[in-house]
Amino acid sequence: MKLRYFLASSAVLFALTKGQSQQPATSIQLQEQAVLQKEQSLSNSIVKNIPFENIGPSVMSGRIVDIAVNPDMPSEFYAGYASGGLWYTNNNGTTFTPVMDNAPTQNVGEVTVDWKSGTIWVGTGENNASRSSYAGIGLLKSTDKGATWQNMGLIDSHHIGRILINPSNPDEVVVGALGHLYSDNEERGIYKTKDGGETWKKTLFIDNKTGIIDIDNDPANFNLMYASAWQKDRKAWNFEGAGAGSGIYKSTDGGDTWQQLNSFPSGDGVGRIGIAVYDENTVYAVHDSQFRREGDGKKSSTSNKLEKDDFKTMSKDALLALDDKKLDDYLKRNGFQEKYRAANVKSMVRQGDVQPVDLATYLETANTQMFDTPVVGAEVYRSNDGGATWSKTHKGYIEDLYYSYGYYFGEINVNPSDAQDIYIYGVPIVKSKDGGKTFTSINAPNVHSDHHALWINPKNEKHLINGNDGGINISYDDGASWIKANDPSVGQFYFIQVDNEEPYNIYGGLQDNGVWVAPSTAQESRGWLQSGQYPWESIMGGDGMQVQVDSRDANIVYTGFQFGNYFRINRETGENKRFDIKHTLGEKPYRFNWQTPILLSSHNQDILYLGGNKLMRSMDQGDSWTAISPDLTHGGKPGNVAYGTLTSVSESPFQFGLIYTGSDDGKISVTKNGGSDWQVISNTLPKDLWVSRVVASEHKKERVYATLNGYRWDDFATYIYVSDNYGQTWKNISAGIPMSPVNVIIEDPVKENIIYVGTDNGAYVSINGGESYNAFAKAVSDKTTAPLPAVAVHDMKIQKKANHLLLGTHGRSIYRADLTPIQQVNTGANAQIFDIASVRSSGRWGNSWSSWSEPNEPNVAINYYTSNAGKYAMVIKDAEGKEVQRVALLPSAGINVFNYDLSIAEKGKKILEKANSSLDIQKAKSGKYYLPKGVYTVSLDGGGGNSNAAQTTLEIK
């Protein structure tokens, strides 16, 4: 079941773009083809050598899903980031090196290493079933520490739960496959290989909705193992994280056969289960119980105050009989608007405009439902007889560990040296020293919440390595104190923004890590540990969302956190104004997307738009709000996830009030008069897909772009459209991009035919209006060059004055590149050298302030284009046309970059000194001579009769 490539007919690909009532999940054949197409796209791209600099940030890190530690040398380990790839350290997390940048995906669910041989197995596709748990491409294996990777199959499993390697025979591997996240499929269950992945046998299959989330074996006997099955059903509008298919299975023959353990809790409320095996008899399980608490989980209270739940069953007469002071206390305490006080609320009830339950639903949001749902939550079970019977270890509930979203956690660990010593983790991480009877928290101020992985040193039980939504933490005193190891730039950005300051500032909202800002000159350097000032500043908590910056005063920033909670921040004064956007009491509550869109009008920076299920507008910087539309979605669906919400808002720079909106259920609308009238313009597009972007053109008033995303249907097709008549008709311009869901599209501000696209698997540019695309492929960081990883690009921004393109990735922080060569390239030419900015001369070139420090090497990036690959030379000539330096080049066809260190040859030094007797060019400590002040010709020598294929000038001031 190794990765094989199949070619599908163009008719099949075209069918994926046609309108359907429900998009089908992408087939395994098309998934395999997409991997091959991406490789070809990278190889043939004319922009593959444009370097993207990773500019961080790193301090907040990103979500860890697994850790693999060398038990004989615990300073050596691998850390798997959910959408940031696999990283390696051999110095206890002081530094990390990425080892999957050359792999076809960065989406990780499980990491297991055979430390004797060094063989790494990565189960791709995050297994936490969150809204941003990206699918993988099966099993990847490396026998050379990540230098190369081989796909070993199970591609259609999408998400891998666990991998076990037989320590006595590393070719024997057992894998738990979760299967698709958003659709039913067959490739899920337990698979086993005895030949290192050459062939696989499915040894356990429950049904096409149930997969395997965890497997653990007796440390003394690989043949004795336990597996947990998990039935779940995630949709864009609803997530059922439990089902009757969930349960625990046991094998006594190394995973060849399995038997269900019927003594463990069963039923529709059985959710995710984590397993920890201590020995042949002792087994622990942590269970995310989605059964309802007795009495709906209401906490007893002796308070006489009214609470939200009181109104859910209150009759009309009972409400009218309430004491006005008591009702007013409830209304004021819960932030009801001033117009809602006891007298007028009762009047509205009498008239039938408001029902008592409305006073509860008025307060309920998607956020409150995450925390208030009265499920049992986390519970720990123990078996002392090899799974024959199970007993809950504790009395009552384990409060505030899982809340209602235990699907995101579900792990348990037992100390290999002490069966009474266990750890469970959710929002906090807690431990028990009495076999799960009682628990204490081992969180700390420098430990992020939301935990997903833990390693206990088998030779030193006080040594722990923890992985959470904020990266890696290490403890040597059993969690009493922690070290934070956040070296990698693995931020999961939802959205980025730039302003027009000098230097310009970069803003961004991240998954569970708030909103941050830094000047564009900020450097990712350990020097901040000495100065005590990290260049990035946190300005908002929660899951950081979109950012808008007032162009008149960059201190005024609009941003917020999930489900439409937005604020106006004055960074200078510290003022923080929360937006009060509420429906009218008695009406249906507004619905807000997890990533609620917000937009400042380019025509008037006091005017702000915010998308719920209706489009809201503020004329006074967010102090007051008015809905300027009807419901611009298909109306939502019953479920526990906010749905039927706006996801994108765009206003034309040509006309105030020419506004487009897109929704998560596939509806695109336009108004040409500021909301007085709206028209649906998406009827001819594929149905039900998430509108990831709708963008009004800044080059042509009638033009608008739309991108659709089928990820939440497990549909990975590419959907990109353009209209030149306000959306009345659409043209598909997605051909040429390897299949991957699209997140963002932006226009080039200089050339209208240049557009940039970000997908779940990388970034692309078209220089011909979408007829064809070229993949970006090169990254630079700390003076090292690597492939631009196949990471989800959630957002793109262009800073026009600096001419920088920034990629906001969901897993590898932010990348930046210069757009000049893309804007200036003429693919009809044989060769080009693009404009070079002047350089200020410095006596520091090639020298250092100390014999112990590295010389200061100048660097000028000379961008050039060649229509063909081959042997060339970059030639530097003085004002008289005499050659002072020549450097051999081997460019690819397309745009290339020559990093010139401004050095000249010994012969060149003599030529310059002869031409100007006042010059005395000294050799620097680096052993090089450097260009003195002057204007020089830079030419591209193609050899033969093409010795001056292209040229430009370079000025040293």
Side-chain angles (χ1 to χ4, degrees):
M1 295 180 66
K2 290 183 182 178
L3 178 61
R4 298 178 301 275
Y5 299 113
F6 297 85
L7 295 179
S9 70
S10 59
V12 173
L13 293 174
F14 179 75
L16 285 172
T17 68
K18 302 298 289 181
Q20 301 174 38
S21 60
Q22 178 173 327
Q23 305 306 312
T26 297
S27 69
I28 184 173
Q29 290 84 3
L30 291 178
Q31 293 176 64
E32 291 173 331
Q33 182 185 352
V35 174
L36 178 60
Q37 287 179 327
K38 179 67 183 290
E39 291 179 359
Q40 293 172 338
S41 176
L42 293 170
S43 176
N44 298 332
S45 173
I46 67 168
V47 298
K48 65 184 177 184
N49 289 317
I50 292 180
F52 277 79
E53 176 192 9
N54 188 289
I55 60 173
S58 62
V59 71
M60 73 290 294
S61 195
R63 182 164 74 248
I64 288 283
V65 290
D66 202 15
I67 307 164
V69 186
N70 185 344
D72 296 321
M73 188 184 296
S75 60
E76 179 184 23
F77 60 90
Y78 292 91
Y81 291 84
S83 55
L86 185 66
W87 295 69
Y88 171 77
T89 180
N90 59 8
N91 56 19
N92 205 36
T94 304
T95 59
F96 287 86
T97 302
V99 295
M100 267 180 65
D101 283 4
N102 58 345
T105 183
Q106 295 296 300
N107 303 328
V108 176
E110 162 73 356
V111 182
T112 305
V113 178
D114 175 47
W115 290 102
K116 294 177 183 177
S117 65
T119 299
I120 312 166
W121 287 82
V122 175
T124 66
E126 185 188 3
N127 55 35
N128 289 318
S130 79
R131 66 191 74 242
S132 60
S133 291
Y134 287 108
I137 54 171
L139 295 166
L140 297 181
K141 178 182 177 181
S142 175
T143 57
D144 51 17
K145 291 192 173 183
T148 59
W149 294 91
Q150 183 180 12
N151 191 299
M152 306 309 296
L154 303 189
I155 294 169
D156 202 42
S157 66
H158 283 195
H159 305 270
I160 299 295
R162 191 68 72 209
I163 303 171
L164 298 184
I165 302 173
N166 187 342
S168 302
N169 177 12
D171 284 336
E172 184 178 349
V173 181
V174 179
V175 175
L178 266 178
H180 292 187
L181 180 56
Y182 286 95
S183 58
D184 300 345
N185 78 309
E186 297 292 322
E187 194 162 89
R188 55 176 79 208
I190 294 181
Y191 293 80
K192 182 173 180 178
T193 181
K194 296 182 180 179
D195 52 18
E198 295 293 325
T199 59
W200 294 91
K201 179 182 179 182
K202 183 188 286 189
T203 63
L204 178 63
F205 176 76
I206 294 98
D207 57 49
N208 61 7
K209 297 179 182 294
T210 305
I212 300 299
I213 182 61
D214 201 3
I215 316 175
D216 198 18
N217 62 278
D218 177 358
N221 180 7
F222 184 77
N223 283 329
L224 178 58
M225 56 182 62
Y226 300 80
S228 58
W230 184 19
Q231 179 179 328
K232 55 180 172 46
D233 181 23
R234 181 177 272 283
K235 295 290 185 285
W237 57 90
N238 189 60
F239 183 40
E240 296 295 336
S246 302
I248 298 179
Y249 291 76
K250 180 178 180 179
S251 175
T252 56
D253 52 16
D256 287 331
T257 61
W258 296 87
Q259 179 181 2
Q260 185 171 6
L261 301 179
N262 294 318
S263 58
F264 194 80
S266 61
D268 291 337
V270 179
R272 179 172 176 173
I273 303 167
I275 298 174
V277 182
Y278 179 74
D279 59 24
E280 61 180 340
N281 295 313
T282 309
V283 186
Y284 284 97
V286 62
H287 172 219
D288 170 34
S289 174
Q290 291 294 299
F291 290 106
R292 294 282 169 160
R293 295 187 177 193
E294 294 182 6
D296 274 345
K298 295 178 183 177
K299 298 179 181 178
S300 61
S301 173
T302 58
S303 171
N304 194 37
K305 292 184 176 181
L306 291 167
E307 300 296 340
K308 178 181 68 174
D309 288 343
D310 295 330
F311 293 94
K312 292 183 177 180
T313 56
M314 186 179 292
S315 69
K316 176 179 177 180
D317 290 341
L319 187 145
L320 294 174
L322 288 173
D323 178 75
D324 281 0
K325 290 183 179 179
K326 188 175 182 179
L327 180 54
D328 271 334
D329 172 73
Y330 170 80
L331 297 170
K332 293 177 182 179
R333 184 161 36 90
N334 288 285
F336 278 70
Q337 294 173 327
E338 286 290 335
K339 61 183 178 180
Y340 299 128
R341 292 298 177 255
N344 60 324
V345 166
K346 287 184 176 181
S347 176
M348 297 168 77
V349 171
R350 288 189 191 97
Q351 295 170 15
D353 296 330
V354 170
Q355 300 299 317
V357 69
D358 293 330
L359 274 71
T361 57
Y362 189 82
L363 301 178
E364 291 184 340
T365 66
N367 271 323
T368 61
Q369 291 170 9
M370 287 175 64
F371 294 95
D372 292 349
T373 304
V375 297
V376 171
E379 50 184 15
V380 177
Y381 288 84
R382 174 170 168 163
S383 176
N384 295 316
D385 51 15
T389 60
W390 295 84
S391 299
K392 194 160 70 169
T393 64
H394 52 93
K395 295 180 180 179
Y397 303 118
I398 302 177
E399 300 284 5
D400 303 329
L401 184 72
Y402 280 3
Y403 297 96
S404 67
Y405 51 101
Y407 65 84
Y408 192 50
F409 310 114
E411 300 269 1
I412 185 169
N413 295 72
V414 59
N415 183 344
S417 304
D418 185 350
Q420 298 297 105
D421 187 4
I422 65 171
Y423 302 79
I424 58 174
Y425 30 103
V427 176
I429 179 171
V430 300
K431 68 180 179 182
S432 173
K433 297 299 183 181
D434 54 16
K437 293 179 181 178
T438 61
F439 293 90
T440 57
S441 172
I442 53 174
N443 257 34
N446 66 333
V447 178
H448 199 287
S449 59
D450 293 359
H451 300 265
H452 307 286
L454 183 72
W455 178 80
I456 307 167
N457 191 334
K459 300 177 181 178
N460 175 8
E461 63 184 19
K462 293 187 179 295
H463 178 200
L464 310 175
I465 303 179
N466 166 239
N468 52 62
D469 273 11
I472 293 286
N473 286 91
I474 304 170
S475 176
Y476 288 94
D477 50 21
D478 198 23
S481 58
W482 296 88
I483 302 165
K484 192 169 183 68
N486 54 354
D487 174 68
S489 293
V490 286
Q492 294 179 299
F493 279 89
Y494 290 119
F495 187 91
I496 59 173
Q497 187 59 275
V498 294
D499 62 22
N500 296 315
E501 301 297 289
E502 293 188 13
Y504 68 90
N505 294 301
I506 304 170
Y507 307 76
L510 300 103
Q511 189 275 326
D512 209 21
N513 277 295
V515 180
W516 294 69
V517 58
S520 57
T521 52
Q523 298 291 315
E524 275 296 303
S525 166
R526 293 179 178 273
W528 77 272
L529 295 169
Q530 177 73 10
S531 68
Q533 182 63 52
Y534 189 69
W536 286 80
E537 172 194 352
S538 174
I539 59 174
M540 180 63 60
D543 278 73
M545 292 297 150
Q546 298 192 8
V547 181
Q548 295 289 292
V549 184
D550 194 319
S551 62
R552 304 163 302 186
D553 180 0
N555 287 307
I556 306 300
V557 178
Y558 302 89
T559 190
F561 57 89
Q562 66 269 22
F563 293 129
N565 291 277
Y566 274 90
F567 301 77
R568 183 183 69 233
I569 299 172
N570 188 317
R571 294 182 61 206
E572 184 176 36
T573 67
E575 177 192 4
N576 193 322
K577 162 70 176 178
R578 185 168 188 160
F579 295 162
D580 184 18
I581 305 176
K582 296 294 292 186
H583 63 282
T584 299
L585 189 63
E587 294 183 354
K588 288 185 177 180
Y590 294 138
R591 300 184 300 272
F592 296 98
N593 195 268
W594 178 265
Q595 299 180 53
T596 295
I598 188 170
L599 177 69
L600 269 174
S601 174
S602 61
H603 303 279
N604 184 331
Q605 294 284 282
D606 286 338
I607 299 176
L608 191 64
Y609 301 103
L610 186 146
N613 55 308
K614 300 180 180 181
L615 184 63
M616 316 295 170
R617 183 177 66 194
S618 173
M619 305 294 286
D620 50 16
Q621 298 184 301
D623 286 338
S624 61
W625 291 88
T626 302
I628 62 168
S629 78
D631 190 331
L632 296 175
T633 77
H634 289 297
K637 291 186 178 183
N640 55 20
V641 179
Y643 186 70
T645 63
L646 296 183
T647 51
S648 185
V649 178
S650 183
E651 184 178 38
S652 172
F654 292 98
Q655 176 185 326
F656 173 70
L658 173 52
I659 306 167
Y660 298 90
T661 66
S663 71
D664 57 8
D665 55 7
K667 193 172 187 177
I668 302 176
S669 305
V670 63
T671 178
K672 298 179 182 178
N673 51 18
S676 296
D677 301 287
W678 290 88
Q679 180 186 6
V680 178
I681 55 174
S682 52
N683 290 334
T684 60
L685 297 178
K687 309 301 180 187
D688 299 330
L689 298 179
W690 196 284
V691 181
S692 53
R693 286 294 190 280
V694 57
V695 179
S697 171
E698 61 178 287
H699 293 289
K700 186 177 181 182
K701 181 180 177 181
E702 301 85 358
R703 182 172 296 161
V704 59
Y705 297 89
T707 60
L708 311 180
N709 187 307
Y711 156 74
R712 292 161 186 84
W713 298 98
D714 289 321
D715 169 15
F716 306 141
T718 304
Y719 300 98
I720 310 173
Y721 300 89
V722 65
S723 171
D724 279 326
N725 54 11
Y726 304 103
Q728 300 306 301
T729 59
W730 295 94
K731 177 184 177 183
N732 188 331
I733 56 169
S734 58
I737 293 185
M739 184 180 63
S740 183
V742 180
N743 299 310
V744 59
I745 184 170
I746 60 173
E747 286 183 312
D748 187 275
V750 176
K751 297 288 186 69
E752 71 171 293
N753 282 333
I754 299 178
I755 54 177
Y756 307 91
V757 173
T759 75
D760 280 353
N761 199 35
Y764 301 82
V765 60
S766 173
I767 60 174
N768 53 18
E771 292 181 17
S772 61
Y773 292 85
N774 289 275
F776 293 118
K778 185 176 182 180
V780 292
S781 180
D782 296 328
K783 299 181 180 179
T784 61
T785 300
L788 186 67
V791 65
V793 177
H794 267 220
D795 200 14
M796 294 174 158
K797 288 292 185 295
I798 294 173
Q799 212 292 332
K800 295 181 180 179
K801 187 171 183 179
N803 211 25
H804 288 162
L805 171 65
L806 289 90
L807 309 180
T809 75
H810 199 76
R812 296 298 287 269
S813 293
I814 300 174
Y815 289 87
R816 177 174 62 194
D818 178 24
L819 289 181
T820 303
I822 296 175
Q823 293 166 342
Q824 295 184 359
V825 69
N826 175 11
T827 55
N830 291 324
Q832 282 180 276
I833 301 179
F834 304 109
D835 296 342
I836 306 171
S838 60
V839 179
R840 188 167 297 280
S841 181
S842 171
R844 297 176 58 217
W845 290 351
N847 296 311
S848 61
W849 65 274
S850 164
S851 59
W852 301 106
S853 59
E854 294 291 326
N856 178 18
E857 282 284 5
N859 177 65
V860 173
I862 299 178
N863 297 289
Y864 64 101
Y865 169 81
T866 58
S867 59
N868 296 296
K871 293 182 179 181
Y872 289 79
M874 194 68 72
V875 180
I876 314 298
K877 298 178 181 178
D878 68 0
E880 297 180 0
K882 295 182 178 179
E883 184 177 307
V884 298
Q885 182 63 295
R886 173 181 286 263
V887 181
L889 303 173
L890 280 172
S892 305
I895 297 171
N896 297 270
V897 182
F898 167 52
N899 291 301
Y900 179 35
D901 63 4
L902 300 179
S903 66
I904 55 176
E906 178 90 28
K907 180 180 178 182
K909 165 190 177 301
K910 294 177 181 179
I911 289 172
L912 291 172
E913 288 178 336
K914 183 177 180 180
N916 185 350
S917 58
S918 65
L919 284 177
D920 181 16
I921 304 172
Q922 296 294 314
K923 182 178 289 187
K925 289 183 179 180
S926 64
K928 299 177 183 179
Y929 301 104
Y930 293 94
L931 286 173
K933 294 180 180 179
V935 178
Y936 301 89
T937 298
V938 180
S939 61
L940 193 61
D941 185 349
N946 197 24
S947 60
N948 190 26
Q951 71 175 38
T952 188
T953 58
L954 167 63
E955 181 180 8
I956 309 294
K957 293 183 177 180

